[in-house]
Amino acid sequence: MLYETFEKIYALERAGKKIIKLNVGEPDWKPPKSAVKAACLGMKTGAGIYGSSAGESPLREELARLHGCKKENVVITPGSKFGIYSLLKILLRNGDAALSFSPNWTAYGLMCNSLGANLKLIETRQEEGWKANLAGLEAAIDANTKIILLNSPGNPTSVALLPKEEEELISIAKSKGIAVLADDAYRDLCFDARKERQFDGHTLIAGTFSKTFGMTGWRIGYAIAPEEMIVKMAEMHRITITNVPVFLQSAALSALLQKEKIARRARRLCKKRAKLAFGMLGSKLQCVKPNAGFYMFPRLPEGTETGKFLDSLLEKGVAIAPGGAFGNYKNHVRISLCREEEALKEAFEKINSAL
Ligand code: PLP
């Protein structure tokens, strides 16, 4: 549903229509200049050749330092999406189940289904601020459950679990012998500036350069896991992608070395935009105020047909995503706050007028 909308929008753009695209989870900030420079230099100086399937040592070592583990616990992946898929492929067999809070990122269900497994959804509620439903999660665990997918802050709500809620979730999983995969795509964008997640030997980590560093199309991410899983993931790379381009890894390393400054700037921008969005849309749309990231996931006023609303908005030149792409949330929409202030204001005015 989400990916089909993209095609519709691309077709309109090809036909010359100007569209403010708030439907994609893609930051509008540019990749760090030093990363661009490092990528170009790498290409010019011979780093365009095959490399290690697990990733280059300098990048793996720096990531290991950040996450408190060994280089052997780190693999460089072509975007975190591929890393998440590889981990699920290692852990899930036909008929197994993964658990995730809902609403959630569209790709989880698609990945599990493609592996013959089920994604069991644990509903959370807007009325409760999308608060983690830990009791529901614990009750849903059964003999088939192999992994809990923890995405905090979450796509599409931009709400982060409290640290003590995360701890509780991890301890439930440990006590039941189930893996946890922390998809930390948006963690750097928590408005309360969370510390880097440290590898505890149990919780698997998927990280990405896409969001914090504005490097979505570069396709580079990483996973942190016990050594034997990293070996399997590297094997999977060997039979599929071979390796993530070496010059991209040099670029990622140079971005990583400035992470604190870049993440601080991105967080500040996200917070400012969330405030603007909440101020301009909050009176017409019921919404939880985001405490992280760059999404809003409001419910449309009663009686509004989501499909018709999205089409009429597209006519006005604004694209947002249907809530149904993130679970049983047909009356919701996801708005990505990924444009400069002027474009956001124009889009919010159009949303209000379409309502
Ligand atoms: N995880 C979540 C929750 C996402 O929303 C996304 C992308 O939108 C990703 C992971 C994947 O990001 P990438 O493959 O670009 O690293």
Side-chain angles (χ1 to χ4, degrees):
M1 187 190 280
L2 188 63
Y3 301 120
E4 286 85 339
T5 333
F6 293 173
E7 294 305 326
K8 202 162 158 185
I9 294 158
Y10 295 145
L12 284 170
E13 281 185 320
R14 279 196 297 275
K17 190 157 174 72
K18 182 186 156 263
I19 295 176
I20 304 176
K21 283 190 286 188
L22 307 186
N23 58 314
V24 204
E26 180 149 64
D28 58 325
W29 49 84
K30 301 249 176 327
K33 282 197 182 101
S34 71
V36 176
K37 229 167 152 180
C40 293
L41 183 70
M43 277 190 271
K44 283 181 189 158
T45 54
I49 53 171
Y50 291 136
S52 154
S53 290
E56 300 302 305
S57 289
L59 181 57
R60 291 175 74 199
E61 273 159 11
E62 183 57 23
L63 286 165
R65 194 187 64 73
L66 275 182
H67 291 284
C69 59
K70 291 187 298 172
K71 179 186 98 176
E72 287 71 23
N73 298 116
V74 183
V75 62
I76 309 302
T77 58
S80 61
K81 199 179 202 178
F82 195 87
I84 293 167
Y85 184 75
S86 304
L87 284 168
L88 292 180
K89 188 162 163 47
I90 291 167
L91 285 164
L92 295 174
R93 297 283 164 272
N94 238 353
D96 284 346
L99 297 184
S100 163
F101 291 123
S102 166
N104 64 12
W105 185 39
T106 322
Y108 294 148
L110 299 175
M111 290 183 191
C112 291
N113 292 344
S114 85
L115 294 166
N118 299 314
L119 180 65
K120 269 203 208 166
L121 301 175
I122 317 301
E123 298 270 326
T124 62
R125 290 165 41 81
Q126 171 164 286
E127 288 70 15
E128 291 163 8
W130 304 118
K131 193 177 160 50
N133 175 2
L134 294 171
L137 182 95
E138 189 162 11
I141 295 173
D142 63 20
N144 294 327
T145 312
K146 296 292 173 327
I147 186 164
I148 298 170
L149 293 165
L150 166 66
N151 175 219
S152 171
N155 176 3
T157 61
S158 268
V159 169
L161 269 72
L162 298 169
K164 69 172 188 318
E165 290 171 328
E166 277 198 8
E167 277 167 30
E168 202 179 321
L169 181 148
I170 290 167
S171 102
I172 292 171
K174 277 186 182 162
S175 71
K176 307 261 180 184
I178 294 165
V180 176
L181 169 52
D183 174 355
D184 283 344
Y186 303 95
R187 184 176 169 97
D188 297 331
L189 304 179
C190 283
F191 299 163
D192 63 0
R194 302 279 166 98
K195 286 204 186 80
E196 211 67 64
R197 189 185 296 281
Q198 298 298 290
F199 183 52
D200 60 5
H202 172 263
T203 306
L204 316 170
I205 303 173
T208 181
F209 289 85
S210 291
K211 314 289 178 176
T212 310
F213 299 105
M215 291 166 67
T216 48
W218 296 49
R219 309 310 303 132
I220 180 159
Y222 59 93
I224 304 216
E227 214 173 315
E228 62 278 11
M229 278 193 184
I230 297 295
V231 169
K232 286 189 186 161
M233 289 177 83
E235 263 168 34
M236 202 129 52
H237 286 177
R238 223 165 280 136
I239 57 171
T240 54
I241 60 149
T242 302
N243 63 279
V244 173
V246 176
F247 55 88
L248 289 186
Q249 298 188 51
S250 314
L253 177 59
S254 98
L256 202 58
L257 295 173
Q258 307 170 62
K259 182 167 177 178
E260 221 177 288
K261 188 178 83 193
I262 291 169
R264 198 182 317 122
R265 204 188 301 140
R267 254 193 316 270
R268 211 182 298 136
L269 193 60
C270 288
K271 197 171 171 182
K272 200 167 154 215
R273 288 173 174 178
K275 192 171 167 210
L276 175 75
F278 202 74
M280 283 186 73
L281 299 173
S283 63
K284 284 210 176 171
L285 291 171
Q286 286 176 36
C287 185
V288 176
K289 203 170 183 178
N291 62 13
F294 45 66
Y295 299 117
M296 284 232 302
F297 195 60
R299 184 184 295 142
L300 295 173
E302 215 166 307
T304 313
E305 257 190 58
T306 310
K308 278 193 186 155
F309 174 71
L310 293 185
D311 285 345
S312 80
L313 200 55
L314 205 51
E315 282 284 303
K316 291 177 190 288
V318 179
I320 57 176
F326 306 94
N328 194 15
Y329 297 90
K330 283 197 180 68
N331 302 329
H332 287 254
V333 288
R334 189 193 72 178
I335 308 174
S336 295
L337 310 173
C338 291
R339 291 295 301 272
E340 69 286 7
E341 198 167 317
E342 280 318 300
L344 286 180
K345 280 185 184 161
E346 185 185 335
F348 299 156
E349 274 159 16
K350 288 181 173 172
I351 292 174
N352 276 329
S353 100
L355 282 168

